PDB file of all heavy atoms in Angstrom:
ATOM      1  N   LEU A  11     -15.172 -21.568  30.938  1.00 98.00           N
ATOM      2  CA  LEU A  11     -14.072 -22.027  30.093  1.00 98.00           C
ATOM      3  C   LEU A  11     -14.565 -22.030  28.653  1.00 98.00           C
ATOM      4  O   LEU A  11     -15.586 -22.636  28.341  1.00 98.00           O
ATOM      5  CB  LEU A  11     -13.629 -23.442  30.496  1.00 98.00           C
ATOM      6  CG  LEU A  11     -12.465 -23.975  29.654  1.00 98.00           C
ATOM      7  CD1 LEU A  11     -11.205 -23.153  29.872  1.00 98.00           C
ATOM      8  CD2 LEU A  11     -12.190 -25.437  29.962  1.00 98.00           C
ATOM      9  N   PHE A  13     -13.759 -23.068  24.818  1.00 98.00           N
ATOM     10  CA  PHE A  13     -12.911 -23.732  23.837  1.00 98.00           C
ATOM     11  C   PHE A  13     -13.164 -22.999  22.527  1.00 98.00           C
ATOM     12  O   PHE A  13     -14.317 -22.841  22.108  1.00 98.00           O
ATOM     13  CB  PHE A  13     -13.281 -25.208  23.684  1.00 98.00           C
ATOM     14  CG  PHE A  13     -12.787 -26.057  24.820  1.00 98.00           C
ATOM     15  CD1 PHE A  13     -13.657 -26.513  25.810  1.00 98.00           C
ATOM     16  CD2 PHE A  13     -11.447 -26.415  24.900  1.00 98.00           C
ATOM     17  CE1 PHE A  13     -13.199 -27.290  26.857  1.00 98.00           C
ATOM     18  CE2 PHE A  13     -10.976 -27.191  25.948  1.00 98.00           C
ATOM     19  CZ  PHE A  13     -11.856 -27.643  26.931  1.00 98.00           C
ATOM     20  N   ILE A  48     -12.793 -31.588  20.686  1.00 98.00           N
ATOM     21  CA  ILE A  48     -12.767 -31.355  22.138  1.00 98.00           C
ATOM     22  C   ILE A  48     -13.194 -32.630  22.852  1.00 98.00           C
ATOM     23  O   ILE A  48     -14.252 -33.187  22.587  1.00 98.00           O
ATOM     24  CB  ILE A  48     -13.718 -30.194  22.516  1.00 98.00           C
ATOM     25  CG1 ILE A  48     -13.287 -28.907  21.798  1.00 98.00           C
ATOM     26  CG2 ILE A  48     -13.761 -29.989  24.027  1.00 98.00           C
ATOM     27  CD1 ILE A  48     -14.348 -27.813  21.816  1.00 98.00           C
ATOM     28  N   LYS A  49     -12.364 -33.085  23.763  1.00 98.00           N
ATOM     29  CA  LYS A  49     -12.708 -34.335  24.459  1.00 98.00           C
ATOM     30  C   LYS A  49     -13.668 -34.053  25.616  1.00 98.00           C
ATOM     31  O   LYS A  49     -13.401 -33.148  26.432  1.00 98.00           O
ATOM     32  CB  LYS A  49     -11.449 -34.989  25.022  1.00 98.00           C
ATOM     33  CG  LYS A  49     -10.526 -35.583  23.975  1.00 98.00           C
ATOM     34  CD  LYS A  49      -9.371 -36.326  24.662  1.00 98.00           C
ATOM     35  CE  LYS A  49      -8.422 -36.895  23.634  1.00 98.00           C
ATOM     36  NZ  LYS A  49      -7.267 -37.559  24.273  1.00 98.00           N
ATOM     37  N   PRO A  50     -14.748 -34.834  25.732  1.00 98.00           N
ATOM     38  CA  PRO A  50     -15.648 -34.694  26.887  1.00 98.00           C
ATOM     39  C   PRO A  50     -14.880 -34.793  28.210  1.00 98.00           C
ATOM     40  O   PRO A  50     -15.234 -34.156  29.197  1.00 98.00           O
ATOM     41  CB  PRO A  50     -16.626 -35.858  26.712  1.00 98.00           C
ATOM     42  CG  PRO A  50     -16.649 -36.103  25.229  1.00 98.00           C
ATOM     43  CD  PRO A  50     -15.249 -35.809  24.765  1.00 98.00           C
ATOM     44  N   LYS A  51     -13.801 -35.539  28.185  1.00 97.00           N
ATOM     45  CA  LYS A  51     -12.943 -35.684  29.359  1.00 97.00           C
ATOM     46  C   LYS A  51     -12.419 -34.319  29.821  1.00 97.00           C
ATOM     47  O   LYS A  51     -12.334 -34.054  31.025  1.00 97.00           O
ATOM     48  CB  LYS A  51     -11.784 -36.584  28.930  1.00 97.00           C
ATOM     49  CG  LYS A  51     -10.726 -36.896  29.917  1.00 97.00           C
ATOM     50  CD  LYS A  51      -9.775 -37.930  29.281  1.00 97.00           C
ATOM     51  CE  LYS A  51      -8.673 -38.361  30.230  1.00 97.00           C
ATOM     52  NZ  LYS A  51      -7.681 -37.351  30.493  1.00 97.00           N
ATOM     53  N   TRP A  52     -12.055 -33.456  28.874  1.00 98.00           N
ATOM     54  CA  TRP A  52     -11.554 -32.121  29.233  1.00 98.00           C
ATOM     55  C   TRP A  52     -12.683 -31.293  29.845  1.00 98.00           C
ATOM     56  O   TRP A  52     -12.472 -30.537  30.788  1.00 98.00           O
ATOM     57  CB  TRP A  52     -11.013 -31.377  28.009  1.00 98.00           C
ATOM     58  CG  TRP A  52      -9.889 -32.058  27.289  1.00 98.00           C
ATOM     59  CD1 TRP A  52      -9.068 -33.045  27.772  1.00 98.00           C
ATOM     60  CD2 TRP A  52      -9.453 -31.802  25.934  1.00 98.00           C
ATOM     61  NE1 TRP A  52      -8.160 -33.418  26.817  1.00 98.00           N
ATOM     62  CE2 TRP A  52      -8.361 -32.673  25.675  1.00 98.00           C
ATOM     63  CE3 TRP A  52      -9.866 -30.940  24.926  1.00 98.00           C
ATOM     64  CZ2 TRP A  52      -7.699 -32.688  24.447  1.00 98.00           C
ATOM     65  CZ3 TRP A  52      -9.198 -30.948  23.714  1.00 98.00           C
ATOM     66  CH2 TRP A  52      -8.133 -31.807  23.472  1.00 98.00           C
ATOM     67  N   ILE A  53     -13.858 -31.417  29.261  1.00 98.00           N
ATOM     68  CA  ILE A  53     -15.004 -30.654  29.764  1.00 98.00           C
ATOM     69  C   ILE A  53     -15.287 -31.062  31.208  1.00 98.00           C
ATOM     70  O   ILE A  53     -15.477 -30.212  32.096  1.00 98.00           O
ATOM     71  CB  ILE A  53     -16.231 -30.888  28.850  1.00 98.00           C
ATOM     72  CG1 ILE A  53     -15.935 -30.307  27.456  1.00 98.00           C
ATOM     73  CG2 ILE A  53     -17.506 -30.305  29.451  1.00 98.00           C
ATOM     74  CD1 ILE A  53     -16.977 -30.587  26.391  1.00 98.00           C
ATOM     75  N   MET A  54     -15.255 -32.379  31.456  1.00 97.00           N
ATOM     76  CA  MET A  54     -15.517 -32.863  32.813  1.00 97.00           C
ATOM     77  C   MET A  54     -14.423 -32.397  33.771  1.00 97.00           C
ATOM     78  O   MET A  54     -14.685 -32.082  34.931  1.00 97.00           O
ATOM     79  CB  MET A  54     -15.628 -34.397  32.825  1.00 97.00           C
ATOM     80  CG  MET A  54     -16.804 -34.940  32.040  1.00 97.00           C
ATOM     81  SD  MET A  54     -18.345 -34.069  32.384  1.00 97.00           S
ATOM     82  CE  MET A  54     -18.646 -34.612  34.064  1.00 97.00           C
ATOM     83  N   HIS A  55     -13.194 -32.332  33.258  1.00 97.00           N
ATOM     84  CA  HIS A  55     -12.085 -31.870  34.088  1.00 97.00           C
ATOM     85  C   HIS A  55     -12.322 -30.416  34.517  1.00 97.00           C
ATOM     86  O   HIS A  55     -12.051 -30.042  35.662  1.00 97.00           O
ATOM     87  CB  HIS A  55     -10.768 -31.997  33.312  1.00 97.00           C
ATOM     88  CG  HIS A  55      -9.548 -31.760  34.148  1.00 97.00           C
ATOM     89  ND1 HIS A  55      -9.072 -32.675  35.058  1.00 97.00           N
ATOM     90  CD2 HIS A  55      -8.719 -30.678  34.237  1.00 97.00           C
ATOM     91  CE1 HIS A  55      -8.010 -32.186  35.663  1.00 97.00           C
ATOM     92  NE2 HIS A  55      -7.763 -30.973  35.182  1.00 97.00           N
ATOM     93  N   ALA A  56     -12.852 -29.604  33.577  1.00 97.00           N
ATOM     94  CA  ALA A  56     -13.119 -28.196  33.896  1.00 97.00           C
ATOM     95  C   ALA A  56     -14.156 -28.092  35.019  1.00 97.00           C
ATOM     96  O   ALA A  56     -13.987 -27.323  35.967  1.00 97.00           O
ATOM     97  CB  ALA A  56     -13.596 -27.456  32.653  1.00 97.00           C
ATOM     98  N   PHE A  57     -15.232 -28.887  34.911  1.00 97.00           N
ATOM     99  CA  PHE A  57     -16.253 -28.835  35.986  1.00 97.00           C
ATOM    100  C   PHE A  57     -15.656 -29.292  37.315  1.00 97.00           C
ATOM    101  O   PHE A  57     -15.897 -28.686  38.358  1.00 97.00           O
ATOM    102  CB  PHE A  57     -17.483 -29.656  35.604  1.00 97.00           C
ATOM    103  CG  PHE A  57     -18.320 -28.985  34.534  1.00 97.00           C
ATOM    104  CD1 PHE A  57     -18.512 -29.580  33.299  1.00 97.00           C
ATOM    105  CD2 PHE A  57     -18.903 -27.744  34.779  1.00 97.00           C
ATOM    106  CE1 PHE A  57     -19.269 -28.949  32.322  1.00 97.00           C
ATOM    107  CE2 PHE A  57     -19.665 -27.102  33.804  1.00 97.00           C
ATOM    108  CZ  PHE A  57     -19.846 -27.707  32.569  1.00 97.00           C
ATOM    109  N   ALA A  58     -14.829 -30.353  37.234  1.00 96.00           N
ATOM    110  CA  ALA A  58     -14.215 -30.861  38.464  1.00 96.00           C
ATOM    111  C   ALA A  58     -13.326 -29.788  39.096  1.00 96.00           C
ATOM    112  O   ALA A  58     -13.176 -29.730  40.311  1.00 96.00           O
ATOM    113  CB  ALA A  58     -13.401 -32.116  38.159  1.00 96.00           C
ATOM    114  N   PHE A  61     -15.046 -24.864  37.369  1.00 96.00           N
ATOM    115  CA  PHE A  61     -15.662 -23.990  36.367  1.00 96.00           C
ATOM    116  C   PHE A  61     -17.192 -24.114  36.453  1.00 96.00           C
ATOM    117  O   PHE A  61     -17.724 -25.191  36.714  1.00 96.00           O
ATOM    118  CB  PHE A  61     -15.178 -24.348  34.954  1.00 96.00           C
ATOM    119  CG  PHE A  61     -13.890 -23.657  34.593  1.00 96.00           C
ATOM    120  CD1 PHE A  61     -12.664 -24.242  34.905  1.00 96.00           C
ATOM    121  CD2 PHE A  61     -13.902 -22.413  33.996  1.00 96.00           C
ATOM    122  CE1 PHE A  61     -11.478 -23.597  34.604  1.00 96.00           C
ATOM    123  CE2 PHE A  61     -12.716 -21.750  33.691  1.00 96.00           C
ATOM    124  CZ  PHE A  61     -11.500 -22.351  33.996  1.00 96.00           C
ATOM    125  N   VAL A  64     -19.084 -24.274  30.463  1.00 98.00           N
ATOM    126  CA  VAL A  64     -18.156 -24.470  29.348  1.00 98.00           C
ATOM    127  C   VAL A  64     -18.840 -23.988  28.082  1.00 98.00           C
ATOM    128  O   VAL A  64     -19.990 -24.340  27.809  1.00 98.00           O
ATOM    129  CB  VAL A  64     -17.745 -25.960  29.209  1.00 98.00           C
ATOM    130  CG1 VAL A  64     -16.950 -26.182  27.921  1.00 98.00           C
ATOM    131  CG2 VAL A  64     -16.939 -26.406  30.420  1.00 98.00           C
ATOM    132  N   ILE A  66     -18.490 -23.503  23.917  1.00 97.00           N
ATOM    133  CA  ILE A  66     -17.731 -23.921  22.742  1.00 97.00           C
ATOM    134  C   ILE A  66     -17.955 -22.918  21.618  1.00 97.00           C
ATOM    135  O   ILE A  66     -19.068 -22.760  21.122  1.00 97.00           O
ATOM    136  CB  ILE A  66     -18.115 -25.355  22.331  1.00 97.00           C
ATOM    137  CG1 ILE A  66     -17.727 -26.299  23.478  1.00 97.00           C
ATOM    138  CG2 ILE A  66     -17.435 -25.740  21.019  1.00 97.00           C
ATOM    139  CD1 ILE A  66     -18.042 -27.742  23.239  1.00 97.00           C
ATOM    140  N   LEU A  86     -20.468 -34.637  20.715  1.00 97.00           N
ATOM    141  CA  LEU A  86     -19.597 -34.668  21.901  1.00 97.00           C
ATOM    142  C   LEU A  86     -20.210 -33.856  23.040  1.00 97.00           C
ATOM    143  O   LEU A  86     -19.988 -34.152  24.216  1.00 97.00           O
ATOM    144  CB  LEU A  86     -18.171 -34.224  21.547  1.00 97.00           C
ATOM    145  CG  LEU A  86     -17.842 -32.764  21.279  1.00 97.00           C
ATOM    146  CD1 LEU A  86     -17.511 -32.038  22.571  1.00 97.00           C
ATOM    147  CD2 LEU A  86     -16.676 -32.680  20.326  1.00 97.00           C
ATOM    148  N   ILE A  87     -21.024 -32.855  22.687  1.00 97.00           N
ATOM    149  CA  ILE A  87     -21.709 -32.091  23.734  1.00 97.00           C
ATOM    150  C   ILE A  87     -22.761 -32.986  24.417  1.00 97.00           C
ATOM    151  O   ILE A  87     -22.842 -33.048  25.647  1.00 97.00           O
ATOM    152  CB  ILE A  87     -22.353 -30.814  23.156  1.00 97.00           C
ATOM    153  CG1 ILE A  87     -21.246 -29.820  22.776  1.00 97.00           C
ATOM    154  CG2 ILE A  87     -23.326 -30.179  24.152  1.00 97.00           C
ATOM    155  CD1 ILE A  87     -21.731 -28.543  22.128  1.00 97.00           C
ATOM    156  N   SER A  90     -21.088 -35.335  26.639  1.00 97.00           N
ATOM    157  CA  SER A  90     -20.641 -34.658  27.865  1.00 97.00           C
ATOM    158  C   SER A  90     -21.818 -34.431  28.808  1.00 97.00           C
ATOM    159  O   SER A  90     -21.692 -34.579  30.023  1.00 97.00           O
ATOM    160  CB  SER A  90     -20.011 -33.302  27.541  1.00 97.00           C
ATOM    161  OG  SER A  90     -18.976 -33.465  26.618  1.00 97.00           O
ATOM    162  N   MET A  94     -22.272 -35.259  32.600  1.00 97.00           N
ATOM    163  CA  MET A  94     -22.555 -34.212  33.575  1.00 97.00           C
ATOM    164  C   MET A  94     -23.750 -34.591  34.442  1.00 97.00           C
ATOM    165  O   MET A  94     -23.717 -34.448  35.670  1.00 97.00           O
ATOM    166  CB  MET A  94     -22.846 -32.881  32.848  1.00 97.00           C
ATOM    167  CG  MET A  94     -21.601 -32.231  32.268  1.00 97.00           C
ATOM    168  SD  MET A  94     -21.971 -31.099  30.907  1.00 97.00           S
ATOM    169  CE  MET A  94     -22.787 -29.769  31.762  1.00 97.00           C
ATOM    170  N   ILE A 104     -23.393 -26.191  29.641  1.00 98.00           N
ATOM    171  CA  ILE A 104     -22.538 -26.233  28.455  1.00 98.00           C
ATOM    172  C   ILE A 104     -23.315 -25.628  27.287  1.00 98.00           C
ATOM    173  O   ILE A 104     -24.520 -25.831  27.159  1.00 98.00           O
ATOM    174  CB  ILE A 104     -22.046 -27.672  28.164  1.00 98.00           C
ATOM    175  CG1 ILE A 104     -21.105 -27.682  26.966  1.00 98.00           C
ATOM    176  CG2 ILE A 104     -23.172 -28.639  27.939  1.00 98.00           C
ATOM    177  CD1 ILE A 104     -20.296 -28.957  26.884  1.00 98.00           C
TER     178      ILE A 104
ATOM    179  N   GLU B 566      -5.457 -30.274  30.126  1.00 97.00           N
ATOM    180  CA  GLU B 566      -5.898 -30.344  31.520  1.00 97.00           C
ATOM    181  C   GLU B 566      -4.972 -29.533  32.425  1.00 97.00           C
ATOM    182  O   GLU B 566      -5.409 -28.955  33.418  1.00 97.00           O
ATOM    183  CB  GLU B 566      -6.030 -31.812  31.962  1.00 97.00           C
ATOM    184  CG  GLU B 566      -7.195 -32.467  31.209  1.00 97.00           C
ATOM    185  CD  GLU B 566      -7.365 -33.966  31.457  1.00 97.00           C
ATOM    186  OE1 GLU B 566      -6.608 -34.547  32.268  1.00 97.00           O
ATOM    187  OE2 GLU B 566      -8.260 -34.545  30.833  1.00 97.00           O
ATOM    188  N   ILE B 569      -6.246 -26.051  32.302  1.00 96.00           N
ATOM    189  CA  ILE B 569      -7.462 -25.912  33.129  1.00 96.00           C
ATOM    190  C   ILE B 569      -7.073 -25.809  34.607  1.00 96.00           C
ATOM    191  O   ILE B 569      -7.583 -24.964  35.346  1.00 96.00           O
ATOM    192  CB  ILE B 569      -8.437 -27.089  32.869  1.00 96.00           C
ATOM    193  CG1 ILE B 569      -8.926 -27.034  31.413  1.00 96.00           C
ATOM    194  CG2 ILE B 569      -9.604 -27.074  33.854  1.00 96.00           C
ATOM    195  CD1 ILE B 569      -9.739 -28.231  30.958  1.00 96.00           C
TER     196      ILE B 569
END
Side-chain angles (χ1 to χ4, degrees):
Chain A
L11 181 65
F13 284 104
I48 300 165
K49 289 185 181 177
K51 179 174 182 289
W52 301 341
I53 295 174
M54 295 314 290
H55 189 75
F57 287 118
F61 274 88
V64 171
I66 297 180
L86 74 87
I87 289 177
S90 305
M94 286 157 70
I104 183 163
Chain B
E566 292 175 3
I569 296 172

